[in-house]
Amino acid sequence: MMAKLIGKRITRNEDPRLLTGQALFVDDVELPGMLHAAFLRSEYAHAKLKGIDLSAALERPGVVAAFTAEDMGDDWAPGPPLVIPPPTIEDVEFYTRTQVPLVKDKVRHAGEPLAIVIADSRYIAEDALDDIVVDLEPLDVVTNIERALEPDSPLVHDDLESNLAAHLVQEKGDYAAIRESADKVIKRRIVIERGIAGAMENRGIVASWDNKQQQLTVWDTTQSPIPIRNGLASMFGLSEHQVRVIAPFVGGGFGPKIMMFYPEEVLLTWSTLKMGKPIKWIEDRRENFYATTQERGQIHDVELALTNDGRILGMRDDFLHDTGAYDPYGLTIPLNTQCHALGPYDIPNFSSDLKVVFTNKTLTTPVRGAGRPQGVFVIERMLDIAAKELGIDRAEIRKRNYLPRDVFPYDNLIIDQAFSSFVIDSGDYLPAMEKALKLIDYEKFTQEEQPKLREEGRRVGIGVVSFIETTGVGPYEGARVTIESSGKVNTATGVGTQGQGHFTTFAQIVAEQLGVDVRDVHLVTGDTAQFHWGTGTFASRGAVVAANAVNAAASIVRGKVLKLASELLDTPEEELELEDGVVRVADIPTQFISLGDLAQRSNPLRGAVEPGTEPGLEATAYFGPKYGATAFGTHAMIVEVDPETMMVEIKRYIVVEDCGTVLNPLIVEGQLHGGVALGIGNSFYEKLVFDDNGQLLNASFADYLIPTAAEIPTIEIAHQVTPSPLNPLGSKGVGEAGAIPVPALFAQAVENALGVDGLEILESPLSPQRLFELFHGEEKDA
Amino acid sequence: MKPAPFEYIAPTTVEEALGHLAEYGYDAKILAGGQSLIPMMNFRLAQPSVLVDLNKLAELSFIRSEKDGELRIGAMTRHFQVERDDLVAEHAPLIHEAMPKIATPQIRSRGTFGGSIAHADPAAELTTICVALDGRFRCQSARGERWVPAQDFFLGMFTSVLEPDEMLVEIAIPPMAPRTGWALEEAARRAHDFALVGVGAVVTLDAKDCCERARLVFFSVGDGPVEAVKATEMLIGKEVSPDLIRAAAEAVTDELDPSADIHASVQYRLHLARVLARRALEKAFARAAAPGTQAA
Ligand SMILES: Cc1cc2nc3c(=O)[nH]c(=O)nc-3n(C[C@H](O)[C@H](O)[C@H](O)COP(=O)(O)OP(=O)(O)OC[C@H]3O[C@@H](n4cnc5c(N)ncnc54)[C@H](O)[C@@H]3O)c2cc1C
């Protein structure tokens, strides 16, 4: 089948609704008699809860109810873990400690909820928060992950011996032995700080119990409506069919909205069941800084063993990973870090000792990139340093170490986030690098322009890094495709949608199969009443797992269409074609039947449907890949640093992306633009600053800096296509790709721009202040 | 992030507004563009029980010049109006140059000149520029009115000489002397952010190309606009040279006492102050010497 629509730059089906304010977001849900909730959150990061007095709050006019953990009785329970640690790794130590709906005995991070107030309006609910009297006894706080492992550190969980949440060692080959015989061993410490996801829409929930219908409906900004439904049903003793979870349009997910169960999801549901009234809670921006999960904090001790000509013999990467106060998400993030530290390179010997650490901070779960940017930062920085020390060009050392194109599928022999062996399905790294070098004119810049600029006193630098992105992991997604009697096609799938363009890419696939207009394919996503099998939108998997399920379902429907049309037109199936919403006899344009007519014929009001057949032109299909599809690419940038003010300007930004089959370049490029922007934030702007008491010092967008359009350069994108052999469409994910290599690239380019012997950037994010310290040698403020 | 309960009043004349201020005193807050006040109310850092909204007072929105060339700007004139006004560009090019550096276009479409001054944010451009340009502010209350020189207006962080019943109604900027040059330099994290450090320079050359007058006023380095007086004295009566400018810029640190925050340490702020002072003086003197400024 010649692709007519797949791969086309088609504008998005969902945009007219989104751009004219017609799309439904959770906060748009208004129900008769709806009440509003606000949460009282702890100001301390670590404290013993000795008592809460709600009486004054309850007396305030307009307040309907208020509850503490005690009020929940037997319904109070720590949340179930979301991802259980890997059984496939030997000797893994893991201590499961999960978040609680409301604090009962001890606060473990600032912002942890202590009580819920439900009132006629959010205003009144917030007024009432000030009426609540809380008796908290502050405890010593630990925020630093190294400090947390010291024997005398305060304990986040008193029943554990230490703040160690998990310990795991992954090994491949024999690093210790190869280290002895290496020409060169480079050793560095790398520190990566924590940030937020910063979706434009914060979290929000509306929960409503209809007693007459015995039906619970929950609108939730989740990336995972189906697991939320299943979990709520089991938590509250309801049948799954009594629970409908709707994730409508969601204003950005970026990972934290896959977390479950957030305390608010439990509390809103519990309260509506108890009170029989619909209740809304919309997280505000300040709450988001405490109550929504975060990511990235890690400290790495890395060694790279090489030959004199720059071939990697082995790598050791021992690191600490900050999980915050709880660890419901298992080891997903640090397993990603380990896999991506191997990158697109042939690293025969590898050893990585990982310790996951509890701290008195908001918990961490994947944020777009999910451990990958840290791994990429580690290997790319080490290669930069190796290149310098061995006198090899930065691009050249990468080329010498790429896995060659003929080794795939390539088994990296360590366990990945899906707990299976980390196998790379396909790849072709060298051309992506060559293309990026050409686009940014690497030779000319380094040989001619840079020396000239340097003579004028200007500090302009170039960077180039490679990366891989594991995407599209299982277990599976499903879809149902139905041709309606109007000839339009309805497609339902379980993954939620947060702006990725599913309404368009999935429509393209269906339209390709059925020969209809892309605009005539209607998509329903994220409503458990419409489709209730699946897991969710995460790990850059929509275009791989869900798209292939859509493709499979559409292709079965195509088979049904052809079979029925063949009977009605009395023509063999091979001689029929689907185009413009009709089935046509190939050589006789006047002989055709429309899809709408076929749909009606397949679902007659009189007559008999033959035994063994089904009515309608409809099919449901599932797709589960054997393992993830690994995308890759090279990014390059030119930056200028003002050596006096230490302000940085990105002058050029190049992306060469290979995400297999490109379903819609417009959408892929949109994903890359957003990803790079987030990456730039991670590189130079976004850092959560905690004081020694675990207080967040920048819990607002005035002080937590997210780059805006003015800080993001024009991003020049080139595509390369190496299809994945693991799925019929050949697609790989691209949702996180943009963000992943940026911190490594930015550090390299800025280091190159400064061009000072011995000045190495071994941390992320940077800031003008930090560059000032590094460049002008300021001593740290006491 | 919802404000505490408050009463809302939207007077239609200045007189009426002043009456409300006289009545409610400390309990009332004036609402201008709301760009600073509303976030503070949403964070519950400000909890006024009465809001007196000036947005219906069209009489406070104007830009005009007096016969003597003095520029007058009404307190409720929006940032974007000032930004695009030819009279401002001509008579007070320093203000014109500063406008795009204030916040974002969205905020500039609501925020007001008077609100910026009355708010007395030590990181604001306009407060500093008004000091550097020897501006004056007309303050009115039911008790009467007074003109306060910008020099004397700011008392500290978010505080000014305005009494609770008083309203800022008009800003006056005198015409610039011939052979006067100006510059605004700032270092901000993002395009729209308040500056980590900023400085406005206004210099005048005499007929012999010596420096006759120089003002160097900083923002974001103290409780309000901070003038480096001694550093600029080094320039007066001297023939301007790169070395002299450099020396003056180096000297500014003696007069500044910035504090540290999560974005910049004291050392970094002082370093920026020197760099920006030098750049501002270089630019201002170059402009003063340019032929176009002779005639003004
Ligand atoms: C994200 C962001 C970035 C910003 N960046 C900058 C920047 O870079 N530089 C900068 O200078 N500013 C910046 N601002 C502030 C902006 O310029 C505000 O508009 C300005 O400070 C206040 O003006 P307003 O009209 O909005 O005043 P409001 O917020 O309405 O009022 C501010 C205060 O002044 C009082 N007030 C207002 N008008 C009068 C009056 N006529 N008489 C007496 N009291 C009065 C109010 O009672 C209140 O206390 C920024 C604001 C935001 C939100």
Side-chain angles (χ1 to χ4, degrees):
Chain A
M1 177 167 75
M2 252 283 286
K4 293 182 197 132
L5 293 167
I6 290 175
K8 290 280 153 15
R9 214 170 255 282
I10 293 172
T11 55
R12 305 201 319 167
N13 276 350
E14 53 268 64
D15 280 346
R17 276 178 78 194
L18 285 166
L19 297 177
T20 56
Q22 305 301 307
L24 181 87
F25 291 84
V26 171
D27 203 10
D28 295 321
V29 175
E30 293 292 343
L31 303 174
M34 188 170 73
L35 301 173
H36 297 263
F39 286 86
L40 179 71
R41 298 181 181 280
S42 172
E43 290 183 1
Y44 294 106
H46 198 194
K48 213 169 171 168
L49 176 59
K50 304 176 84 174
I52 304 182
D53 181 359
L54 299 175
S55 53
L58 286 165
E59 274 163 31
R60 180 178 281 270
V63 172
V64 181
F67 305 110
T68 65
E70 296 303 329
D71 297 319
M72 292 185 76
D74 291 343
D75 293 333
W76 187 95
L82 179 53
V83 184
I84 326 267
T88 29
I89 301 174
E90 266 177 62
D91 299 330
V92 56
E93 266 181 271
F94 190 87
Y95 305 99
T96 306
R97 291 296 178 277
T98 53
Q99 68 286 359
V100 298
L102 288 172
V103 171
K104 197 169 214 165
D105 44 17
K106 190 169 106 153
V107 170
R108 296 189 175 84
H109 69 83
E112 215 176 351
L114 299 163
I116 180 174
V117 173
I118 297 160
D120 290 342
S121 77
R122 174 68 176 250
Y123 291 83
I124 297 172
E126 289 193 18
D127 294 343
L129 295 181
D130 291 340
D131 302 333
I132 301 175
V133 183
V134 189
D135 187 1
L136 283 170
E137 179 187 314
L139 300 168
D140 287 344
V141 169
V142 60
T143 57
N144 177 292
I145 40 180
E146 288 185 290
R147 166 78 186 117
L149 289 183
E150 287 169 9
D152 63 341
S153 163
L155 287 179
V156 179
H157 297 278
D158 301 325
D159 58 332
L160 293 177
E161 274 170 31
S162 77
N163 289 314
L164 185 73
H167 182 211
L168 129 92
V169 179
Q170 292 224 62
E171 295 207 300
K172 145 183 184 187
D174 186 346
Y175 177 74
I178 203 72
R179 184 189 196 282
E180 296 308 310
S181 56
D183 295 334
K184 182 105 197 153
V185 176
I186 293 166
K187 195 173 163 176
R188 293 291 186 279
R189 156 161 283 220
I190 287 173
V191 178
I192 296 157
E193 303 276 358
R194 178 193 270 243
I196 60 163
M200 197 181 294
E201 185 194 16
N202 290 323
R203 290 186 300 121
I205 301 161
V206 175
S208 174
W209 171 248
D210 183 331
N211 202 40
K212 286 200 174 140
Q213 295 206 57
Q214 293 282 297
Q215 182 75 31
L216 175 72
T217 309
V218 179
W219 288 264
D220 188 359
T221 52
T222 181
Q223 294 173 239
S224 266
I226 296 166
I228 291 279
R229 180 201 67 158
N230 299 348
L232 290 179
S234 86
M235 236 178 265
F236 295 104
L238 297 167
S239 150
E240 287 177 3
H241 289 277
Q242 284 178 285
V243 184
R244 179 181 180 192
V245 174
I246 303 168
F249 279 97
V250 175
F254 308 116
K257 287 175 183 160
I258 190 92
M259 221 306 271
M260 66 189 92
F261 284 85
Y262 276 106
E264 299 86 0
E265 286 166 332
V266 177
L267 258 299
L268 268 275
T269 307
W270 181 83
S271 304
T272 195
L273 287 171
K274 192 174 168 73
M275 301 169 65
K277 291 263 176 103
I279 307 170
K280 177 187 276 188
W281 168 74
I282 300 296
E283 182 185 54
D284 67 33
R285 186 57 68 185
R286 182 166 42 177
E287 286 185 290
N288 183 267
F289 275 95
Y290 296 98
T292 290
T293 57
Q294 309 169 342
E295 210 220 291
R296 302 268 198 265
Q298 292 182 348
I299 299 177
H300 291 254
D301 284 302
V302 202
E303 273 184 20
L304 199 63
L306 303 109
T307 63
N308 275 332
D309 62 355
R311 294 279 325 196
I312 303 170
L313 296 171
M315 169 153 96
R316 181 175 69 78
D317 180 15
D318 295 344
F319 66 106
L320 304 179
H321 171 76
D322 181 3
T323 188
Y326 303 98
D327 59 357
Y329 220 100
L331 296 170
T332 303
I333 301 168
L335 286 174
N336 268 344
T337 304
Q338 285 176 326
C339 291
H340 290 77
L342 293 172
Y345 307 111
D346 180 3
I347 303 182
N349 301 284
F350 178 68
S351 162
S352 176
D353 180 300
L354 155 70
K355 292 195 177 87
V356 179
V357 184
F358 289 119
T359 55
N360 289 120
K361 288 185 287 189
T362 297
L363 39 167
T364 63
T365 70
V367 172
R368 193 183 205 172
R372 300 178 186 87
Q374 298 95 312
V376 171
F377 194 86
V378 164
I379 181 66
E380 294 297 309
R381 288 277 60 208
M382 292 304 279
L383 280 173
D384 294 337
I385 292 163
K388 234 184 245 178
E389 297 208 351
L390 296 169
I392 303 171
D393 174 76
R394 280 172 285 162
E396 177 59 26
I397 198 167
R398 287 169 168 84
K399 292 184 195 169
R400 287 184 196 172
N401 286 290
Y402 284 144
L403 290 165
R405 60 168 10 138
D406 56 11
V407 296
F408 301 101
Y410 176 78
D411 191 341
N412 266 302
L413 301 173
I414 64 167
I415 300 299
D416 67 11
Q417 63 148 316
F419 307 153
S420 46
S421 194
F422 171 34
V423 179
I424 301 182
D425 56 335
S426 64
D428 194 2
Y429 305 132
L430 195 57
M433 167 62 92
E434 299 286 12
K435 200 177 224 169
L437 293 176
K438 193 153 163 260
L439 287 170
I440 205 151
D441 238 336
Y442 185 79
E443 276 300 308
K444 184 157 178 244
F445 180 82
T446 50
Q447 302 304 313
E448 296 170 30
E449 290 171 25
Q450 196 175 25
K452 233 187 278 161
L453 290 164
R454 185 45 91 79
E455 262 171 42
E456 295 166 19
R458 289 174 63 184
R459 308 269 175 164
V460 188
I462 193 165
V464 54
V465 307
S466 300
F467 70 102
I468 54 170
E469 181 201 4
T470 58
T471 76
V473 296
Y476 77 93
E477 287 300 331
R480 185 181 64 245
V481 172
T482 313
I483 300 180
E484 296 175 355
S485 52
S486 61
K488 296 195 174 179
V489 186
N490 188 66
T491 301
T493 171
V495 296
T497 198
Q498 303 92 35
Q500 299 91 334
H502 293 151
F503 295 84
T504 312
T505 41
F506 295 173
Q508 283 174 261
I509 292 165
V510 172
E512 180 92 49
Q513 286 281 3
L514 299 179
V516 297
D517 192 320
V518 178
R519 310 296 179 213
D520 285 339
V521 180
H522 178 77
L523 184 80
V524 184
T525 165
D527 180 350
T528 61
Q530 299 276 345
F531 199 87
H532 63 113
W533 295 101
T535 47
T537 316
F538 55 92
S540 303
R541 65 198 287 280
V544 183
V545 191
N548 276 288
V550 168
N551 187 48
S555 132
I556 298 170
V557 173
R558 180 187 172 88
K560 289 187 178 185
V561 165
L562 285 171
K563 183 157 178 286
L564 185 59
S566 157
E567 285 163 20
L568 295 172
L569 296 171
D570 201 11
T571 307
E573 287 183 27
E574 308 80 63
E575 289 169 29
L576 298 175
E577 54 188 32
L578 275 69
E579 221 171 352
D580 303 329
V582 304
V583 187
R584 204 178 271 134
V585 180
D587 298 327
I588 317 173
T590 51
Q591 275 199 37
F592 65 85
I593 182 164
S594 74
L595 290 182
D597 285 347
L598 283 170
Q600 267 169 7
R601 296 284 198 115
S602 71
N603 184 24
L605 284 174
R606 295 290 183 276
V609 169
E610 281 173 41
T613 63
E614 292 167 353
L617 297 176
E618 178 175 284
T620 301
Y622 297 89
F623 181 77
K626 219 162 99 197
Y627 52 90
T630 301
F632 60 92
T634 298
H635 289 203
M637 86 185 344
I638 293 177
V639 297
E640 176 157 15
V641 184
D642 180 328
E644 289 188 318
T645 63
M646 307 321 286
M647 296 292 158
V648 177
E649 185 197 351
I650 300 175
K651 303 188 90 75
R652 278 192 78 191
Y653 200 105
I654 307 280
V655 173
V656 178
E657 170 67 20
D658 192 328
C659 59
T661 305
V662 175
L663 301 176
N664 181 336
L666 198 63
I667 285 176
V668 165
E669 288 165 18
Q671 285 288 328
L672 292 169
H673 291 159
V676 169
L678 189 142
I680 290 171
N682 285 162
S683 305
F684 196 55
Y685 297 96
E686 301 188 41
K687 174 179 163 181
L688 292 166
V689 185
F690 296 88
D691 72 7
D692 290 343
N693 295 318
Q695 293 299 328
L696 189 51
L697 300 180
N698 52 347
S700 85
F701 280 165
D703 281 319
Y704 182 89
L705 311 178
I706 288 190
T708 70
E711 284 72 47
I712 305 302
T714 299
I715 299 163
E716 304 163 57
I717 296 174
H719 299 281
Q720 176 183 310
V721 178
T722 309
S724 172
L726 299 175
N727 67 73
L729 291 171
S731 55
K732 298 178 174 188
V734 73
E736 297 164 276
I740 291 168
V742 192
L745 178 65
F746 190 84
Q748 187 196 112
V750 166
E751 186 179 290
N752 180 250
L754 293 175
V756 177
D757 278 345
L759 193 162
E760 285 178 359
I761 292 173
L762 298 170
E763 65 197 58
S764 180
L766 295 166
S767 65
Q769 164 73 43
R770 191 59 194 130
L771 290 178
F772 173 71
E773 289 165 16
L774 289 167
F775 189 69
H776 292 271
E778 183 195 22
E779 286 160 33
K780 285 231 174 193
D781 278 2
Chain B
M1 291 177 75
K2 303 284 185 208
F6 59 87
E7 293 287 322
Y8 172 84
I9 304 170
T12 50
T13 64
V14 168
E15 207 185 330
E16 199 190 329
L18 295 176
H20 291 303
L21 291 178
E23 182 182 350
Y24 295 108
Y26 281 104
D27 294 334
K29 270 257 166 221
I30 287 172
L31 176 68
Q35 300 303 295
S36 299
L37 181 58
I38 299 291
M40 286 172 63
M41 289 172 64
N42 285 344
F43 277 112
R44 298 196 175 210
L45 295 171
Q47 302 199 6
S49 41
V50 180
L51 267 195
V52 181
D53 184 351
L54 303 192
N55 283 279
K56 289 192 175 155
L57 305 187
E59 57 192 296
L60 291 187
S61 178
F62 59 84
I63 299 170
R64 62 164 190 263
S65 79
E66 298 289 280
K67 279 195 214 74
D68 62 0
E70 192 178 52
L71 183 72
R72 296 288 182 92
I73 301 175
M76 284 302 290
T77 313
R78 311 280 169 188
H79 291 326
F80 86 93
Q81 291 172 296
V82 178
E83 183 177 358
R84 292 174 200 182
D85 191 86
D86 291 340
L87 211 55
V88 174
E90 192 188 328
H91 287 256
L94 185 53
I95 294 178
H96 179 73
E97 189 164 295
M99 294 318 295
K101 299 187 173 172
I102 298 174
T104 62
Q106 293 91 325
I107 291 165
R108 293 199 295 277
S109 78
R110 298 289 306 165
T112 64
F113 203 110
S116 247
I117 300 299
H119 192 49
D121 188 327
E125 282 88 351
L126 293 179
T127 55
T128 298
I129 288 172
C130 286
V131 172
L133 294 176
D134 294 318
R136 297 179 302 144
F137 305 136
R138 185 152 72 96
C139 310
Q140 261 189 350
S141 69
R143 296 174 285 120
E145 78 161 50
R146 55 178 175 152
W147 279 96
V148 182
Q151 285 270 44
D152 306 331
F153 184 81
F154 302 102
L155 296 181
M157 181 112 40
F158 304 117
T159 47
S160 69
V161 299
L162 282 175
E163 297 293 335
D165 66 343
E166 224 172 4
M167 190 165 99
L168 174 62
V169 289
E170 184 175 1
I171 293 94
I173 306 288
M176 285 201 304
R179 303 205 75 199
T180 296
W182 72 93
L184 182 81
E185 289 288 328
E186 64 177 61
R189 292 285 338 248
R190 296 170 298 178
H192 72 279
D193 276 323
F194 282 107
L196 298 175
V197 174
V199 60
V202 181
V203 300
T204 307
L205 291 173
D206 65 16
K208 287 182 273 171
D209 275 353
C210 289
C211 176
E212 185 178 304
R213 215 169 163 247
R215 307 288 301 273
L216 208 46
V217 191
F218 289 86
F219 47 108
S220 286
V221 294
D223 284 353
V226 180
E227 182 160 11
V229 180
K230 295 207 183 90
T232 42
E233 272 168 6
M234 293 167 64
L235 301 164
I236 307 298
K238 305 247 175 64
E239 201 177 322
V240 180
S241 70
D243 281 346
L244 181 65
I245 289 176
R246 191 173 289 274
E250 286 299 315
V252 299
T253 27
D254 296 338
E255 295 174 77
L256 307 180
D257 185 18
S259 49
D261 61 26
I262 62 169
H263 302 301
S265 65
V266 171
Q267 284 188 61
Y268 179 41
R269 280 213 159 84
L270 290 174
H271 167 84
L272 284 175
R274 288 189 291 267
V275 169
L276 299 174
R278 193 196 74 233
R279 291 182 183 180
L281 286 173
E282 281 168 357
K283 206 186 260 182
F285 278 118
R287 277 173 168 159
T293 49
Q294 304 273 3

